[in-house]
C-alpha cells in the first residue's frame, strides 16, 4: 500500500502596501475624454517629459525660434521650425493636463471639477512605475517580487494581494473618501480565511511603512483596543 500523501501547508499569505512612487493612479473621470481610463501615475508618456527634456530636439527648436525673433531674415527653415513648434505645444498641453489631473484643490483633499483619480487596485497597481514593454525593465518595483511569488504557487486574490492608495490624501481622507483602511482590513481577512487561517505577512515599502503603521493603529481604534489587538495578533 502506498504511503499517505501529507497535505502541503498553505503558503503564508502576503499583502503588499507600496510606497507612493509605486502606488499607481488612474483617471476614472475627466473632462478630456482621451484621458478617461488612463494610468496617470506614474506614466512617462502622459507627463510628456520625454520630449521636453533639456537638450531634446523640441526644446532646441524652441531656442532656435526664439533666437530668430531678432533676426527673422536669418531663418531659412521656417517650415521645419513651425512643424516642430506645433509638436512642442502638444507636449506642453499634455504635461499641463497631467498637472491638472494630479493637482488637488487648496484644501488638499478635493479634486478639480469633473476629475476623479483613483488607485489602480490589486497587484497591477504596484508592479511597475510605468507599464509597457520598453519601460517595465527599468521601472520595476514589486514586479520581480510578484513574478517570484507566483512561480512558487502564489495566486492573486487567494494568498497574494496589494493595497495601493491615493498618496495625495492624508490618512483620514483615505478612509473618509475611499474607505481604504476598512477595505484593507477586509482584504487581509479574506487572505487569512482563504489560507486556512494562516497569519498574513504585510510587506510594506517606503511610505507604505507609514501607511501600514497607521493601519495597525486604525484597527485598534476601529475595533476597540482589546478586539483590535486580538485581530492583529491573529
Amino acid at each position: 500500500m502506498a504511503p499517505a500523501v501529507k497535505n502541503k501547508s498553505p503558503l503564508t499569505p502576503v499583502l503588499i502596501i507600496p510606497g507612493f512612487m509605486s502606488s499607481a493612479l488612474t483617471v476614472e473621470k475627466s473632462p478630456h475624454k482621451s484621458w478617461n481610463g488612463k494610468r496617470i501615475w506614474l506614466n512617462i508618456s502622459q507627463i510628456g517629459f520625454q520630449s521636453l527634456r533639456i537638450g531634446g530636439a523640441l526644446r532646441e527648436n524652441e531656442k532656435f525660434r526664439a533666437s530668430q525673433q531678432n533676426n527673422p531674415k536669418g531663418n531659412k527653415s521656417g517650415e521645419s521650425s513651425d512643424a516642430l513648434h506645433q509638436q512642442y505645444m502638444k507636449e506642453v498641453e499634455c504635461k499641463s493636463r497631467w498637472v491638472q489631473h494630479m493637482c488637488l484643490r487648496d484644501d488638499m483633499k478635493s479634486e478639480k471639477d469633473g476629475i476623479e483619480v483613483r488607485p489602480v487596485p490589486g497587484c497591477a497597481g504596484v508592479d511597475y512605475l510605468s507599464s509597457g514593454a520598453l519601460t517595465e525593465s527599468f521601472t520595476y518595483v514589486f514586479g520581480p517580487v510578484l513574478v517570484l511569488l507566483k512561480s512558487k504557487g502564489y495566486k492573486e486574490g487567494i494568498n497574494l494581494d496589494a493595497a495601493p492608495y491615493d498618496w495625495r490624501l492624508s490618512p483620514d481622507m483615505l478612509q473618509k473618501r475611499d474607505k481604504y483602511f476598512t477595505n484593507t482590513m477586509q482584504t487581509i481577512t479574506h487572505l487569512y480565511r482563504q489560507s486556512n487561517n494562516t497569519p498574513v505577512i504585510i510587506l510594506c515599502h517606503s511610505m507604505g511603512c507609514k501607511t501600514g503603521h497607521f493601519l495597525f493603529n486604525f484597527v485598534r481604534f476601529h475595533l476597540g483596543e482589546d478586539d483590535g489587538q486580538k485581530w492583529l495578533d491573529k
Side-chain angles (χ1 to χ4, degrees), residues 14 16 123 146 149-150 154-161 191:
V14 176
I16 297 172
C123 294
L146 293 170
L149 290 175
K150 290 178 180 180
Y154 278 83
K155 295 183 179 180
E156 186 173 351
I158 302 298
N159 48 25
L160 175 64
D161 215 329
L191 294 175

Side-chain angles (χ1 to χ4, degrees), residues 219-220 222-234:
V219 170
R220 295 188 186 95
H222 185 64
L223 299 179
E225 188 66 32
D226 292 339
D227 288 341
Q229 190 60 51
K230 289 178 182 178
W231 190 92
L232 291 172
D233 291 341
K234 290 197 297 182

Side-chain angles (χ1 to χ4, degrees), residues 69-89:
Q69 289 181 357
N70 295 328
N71 186 18
K73 294 182 179 180
N75 184 358
K76 297 181 180 180
S77 57
E79 244 178 72
S80 174
S81 174
D82 287 342
L84 286 177
H85 175 66
Q86 292 303 317
Q87 185 178 349
Y88 175 86
M89 295 307 297

Side-chain angles (χ1 to χ4, degrees), residues 119-140:
V120 176
C123 294
V126 305
D127 49 6
Y128 301 94
L129 298 182
S130 186
S131 58
L134 297 178
T135 55
E136 285 185 357
S137 62
F138 61 88
T139 65
Y140 63 84

Side-chain angles (χ1 to χ4, degrees), residues 97-207:
R97 287 187 177 178
W98 180 85
V99 172
Q100 177 188 4
H101 286 80
M102 287 295 296
C103 285
L104 298 174
R105 293 185 181 276
D106 291 342
D107 61 8
M108 297 304 294
K109 61 182 181 181
S110 305
E111 293 178 290
K112 304 290 181 64
D113 291 341
I115 292 176
E116 288 185 8
V117 173
R118 297 293 183 270
V120 176
C123 294
V126 305
D127 49 6
Y128 301 94
L129 298 182
S130 186
S131 58
L134 297 178
T135 55
E136 285 185 357
S137 62
F138 61 88
T139 65
Y140 63 84
V141 183
F142 285 102
V145 175
L146 293 170
V147 171
L148 176 61
L149 290 175
K150 290 178 180 180
S151 73
K152 300 300 181 181
Y154 278 83
K155 295 183 179 180
E156 186 173 351
I158 302 298
N159 48 25
L160 175 64
D161 215 329
Y165 51 92
D166 189 342
W167 46 267
R168 302 173 302 165
L169 300 179
S170 62
D172 62 319
M173 284 306 300
L174 280 177
Q175 175 60 22
K176 184 176 181 180
R177 193 194 73 179
D178 297 343
K179 302 293 186 291
Y180 175 78
F181 295 103
T182 48
N183 288 340
T184 301
M185 288 177 64
Q186 292 174 6
T187 299
I188 293 172
T189 299
H190 173 76
L191 294 175
Y192 174 78
R193 291 174 177 171
Q194 288 292 314
S195 303
N196 295 331
N197 296 345
T198 302
V200 180
I201 290 176
I202 310 297
L203 179 58
C204 304
H205 172 246
S206 190
M207 187 174 173

